[in-house]
């Protein structure tokens, strides 16, 4: 039975479930269809070869045999690829999510002084509750706020906090990452998992990059001076690291690459300076800061 950072992934699934069943089901059904086609081609190879020969009587038989065999190989490899994709998406949405949440928590060097934390895009609550568990473990009186753009998702995340026994450490609310409903410098720690890259529809277009920039700027804005930010995301983390350097953040660290949802993902962590340089570091402007 599989383990995810010391915890049974079936136990994780029983609490958090997954949002990816539609994707997994689509990939698995297509994998099964291609596998069935490959098996039928193997079982009825002679009949298929005869059919090709009747359709292309002028073609040499060895060439038709090669074409039939090559077609069968392509179908079989396509089935294997689709099955791997389905497994990777399922793995990424449950055990890997949990494992990356533990890595993100570990990226914060000192939880003893943390009184306020924020999870931007809390979703099902895996990272949110991991932060709450860390607060509970340290006997902290702090709380973590989970923010999601959909109210029903935030309510469900709060319910899962109850299932994990950390509800007293968790508050959830509806909100947009591009305009966080909190004052400047409010949180000791801000975390976000696979959320900022989806702002503005995702992708590499200038408009989407601008929306990601707003989200990252908001993460920095609501951090206290000396506070720590940790972001796990797909593909866009090198862009975030560059923007954080431009905003003069300190202790910027990018993790090794981890394949998630069939693409590259990274964790970037940073600390907000205690004394920002006045010529560049202007918190009041972060609400409209964009990455182009």
């Amino acid at each position: 039975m599989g383990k995810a950072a010391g915890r049974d992934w079936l136990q994780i699934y029983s609490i958090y479930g997954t949002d990816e069943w539609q994707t997994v089901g689509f990939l698995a059904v297509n994998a099964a269809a291609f596998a069935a086609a490959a098996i039928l081609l193997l079982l009825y190879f002679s009949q298929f070869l005869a059919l090709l020969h009747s359709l292309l009587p002028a073609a040499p038989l060895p060439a038709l045999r090669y074409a039939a065999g090559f077609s069968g190989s392509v179908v079989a490899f396509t089935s294997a690829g689709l099955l791997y994709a389905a497994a990777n998406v399922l793995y990424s949405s449950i055990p890997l999510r949990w494992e990356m949440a533990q890595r993100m928590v570990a990226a914060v060097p000192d939880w003893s002084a943390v009184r306020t934390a924020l999870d931007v895009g809390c979703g099902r609550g895996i990272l949110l509750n991991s932060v709450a568990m860390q607060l509970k473990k340290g006997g902290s009186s702090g709380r973590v706020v989970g923010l999601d753009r959909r109210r029903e998702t935030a309510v469900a995340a709060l319910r899962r906090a109850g299932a994990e026994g950390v509800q007293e450490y968790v508050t959830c609310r509806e909100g947009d990452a591009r305009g966080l409903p909190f004052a400047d410098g409010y949180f000791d720690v801000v975390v976000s998992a696979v959320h900022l890259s989806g702002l503005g529809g995702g992708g590499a277009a200038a408009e989407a990059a601008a929306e990601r920039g707003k989200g990252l700027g908001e993460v920095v804005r609501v951090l206290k001076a000396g506070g720590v930010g940790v972001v796990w995301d797909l593909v866009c983390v090198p862009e975030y690291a560059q923007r954080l350097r431009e905003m003069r953040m300190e202790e910027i660290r990018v993790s090794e690459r981890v394949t998630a949802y069939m693409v590259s993902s990274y964790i970037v962590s940073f600390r907000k300076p205690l004394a920002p340089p006045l010529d560049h570091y202007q918190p009041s402007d972060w609400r409209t800061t964009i990455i182009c």
Side-chain angles (χ1 to χ4, degrees):
M1 195 170 290
K3 295 282 185 178
R7 193 172 187 186
D8 191 318
W9 77 269
L10 290 177
Q11 183 185 25
I12 301 169
Y13 174 72
S14 69
I15 296 173
Y16 297 100
T18 177
D19 298 326
E20 304 296 342
W21 280 123
Q22 185 174 357
T23 301
V24 171
F26 174 82
L27 291 169
V29 167
N30 280 276
F34 275 95
I39 292 171
L40 288 172
L41 189 58
L42 179 63
L43 292 175
Y44 298 99
F45 185 80
S46 298
Q47 292 88 330
F48 180 66
L49 189 60
L51 176 62
L52 284 180
H53 189 57
S54 67
L55 294 173
L56 302 168
L61 190 58
L64 292 177
R65 187 183 299 275
Y66 175 82
F70 180 77
S71 298
S73 299
V74 170
V75 171
F77 278 116
T78 300
S79 173
L82 289 168
L83 189 60
Y84 172 78
N88 183 263
V89 170
L90 186 60
Y91 169 75
S92 299
S93 71
I94 306 175
L96 184 61
R97 278 262 186 177
W98 178 264
E99 180 181 337
M100 297 304 283
Q102 308 319 302
R103 292 190 193 183
M104 293 176 72
V105 169
V108 178
D110 182 15
W111 282 96
S112 62
V114 175
R115 295 293 176 267
T116 54
L118 171 66
D119 178 9
V120 179
C122 63
R124 289 173 287 146
I126 292 178
L127 176 57
L128 175 73
N129 290 337
S130 296
V131 171
M133 289 175 192
Q134 180 63 40
L135 294 173
K136 182 178 181 179
K137 179 181 177 182
S140 173
S141 60
R143 294 179 70 86
V144 55
V145 179
L147 181 132
D148 198 273
R149 65 190 121 192
R150 298 176 59 200
R151 177 178 174 80
E152 56 269 31
T153 302
V155 170
L158 184 61
R159 189 164 54 246
R160 294 184 183 105
E164 291 280 24
V166 292
Q167 189 166 5
E168 66 271 26
Y169 294 89
V170 174
T171 301
C172 292
R173 63 175 297 172
E174 181 183 3
D176 192 325
R178 293 163 291 189
L180 296 175
F182 306 105
D184 293 1
Y186 188 82
F187 294 99
D188 298 300
V189 171
V190 179
V191 297
S192 181
V194 193
H195 183 73
L196 298 183
S197 60
L199 298 178
E207 295 81 2
E211 296 303 297
R212 293 193 296 270
K214 288 180 183 179
L216 186 64
E218 284 292 278
V219 167
V220 173
R221 180 183 68 80
V222 300
L223 263 178
K224 291 180 180 178
V228 176
V230 187
V231 177
W232 171 46
D233 219 330
L234 311 176
V235 180
C236 301
V237 167
E239 171 191 312
Y240 302 161
Q242 177 60 32
R243 186 63 182 123
L244 290 168
R245 293 185 192 101
E246 294 171 2
M247 290 193 286
R248 306 283 183 87
M249 297 297 105
E250 299 176 348
E251 301 177 29
I252 300 170
R253 297 184 177 90
V254 178
S255 72
E256 73 282 2
R257 182 181 66 86
V258 176
T259 299
Y261 300 99
M262 298 296 293
V263 298
S264 297
S265 75
Y266 306 84
I267 294 173
V268 60
S269 61
F270 64 94
R271 186 181 295 277
K272 186 173 178 178
L274 288 170
L278 296 178
D279 63 333
H280 178 86
Y281 184 67
Q282 298 291 338
S284 61
D285 294 336
W286 287 342
R287 289 182 183 273
T288 55
T289 298
I290 63 174
I291 301 175
C292 296

